[in-house]
Amino acid sequence: MAKKTVASLQTGKKEGRSYSKVIKMVKSPKTGAYTFQEEMVPNEAVKDFFK
C-alpha cells in the first residue's frame, strides 16, 4: 500500500524538480575555518549562486 501512495504523489506536481540543493564552502573571516552554506535555488539560478 505504501508503494501506491508514493507512486500517486509523483504523478502530481512536478514543480519540485525545478529546484536544486546547492552547497558552497565559505571561509570564515574571523577563524579562517570553512563552513558550508546550503540553499534550495531554482535550476536557472545555480550559476548565480556560486558567483
Side-chain angles (χ1 to χ4, degrees), residues 22-44:
V22 290
I23 303 170
K24 178 169 52 172
M25 286 179 56
V26 180
K27 189 172 185 177
S28 172
K30 293 181 182 179
T31 62
Y34 285 96
T35 59
F36 295 97
Q37 179 183 2
E38 298 181 16
E39 283 188 38
M40 294 292 291
V41 296
N43 289 340
E44 296 83 26

Side-chain angles (χ1 to χ4, degrees), residues 6-17:
V6 171
S8 66
L9 289 174
Q10 291 178 355
T11 59
K13 299 178 184 176
K14 295 188 179 185
E15 297 170 3
R17 294 183 184 180

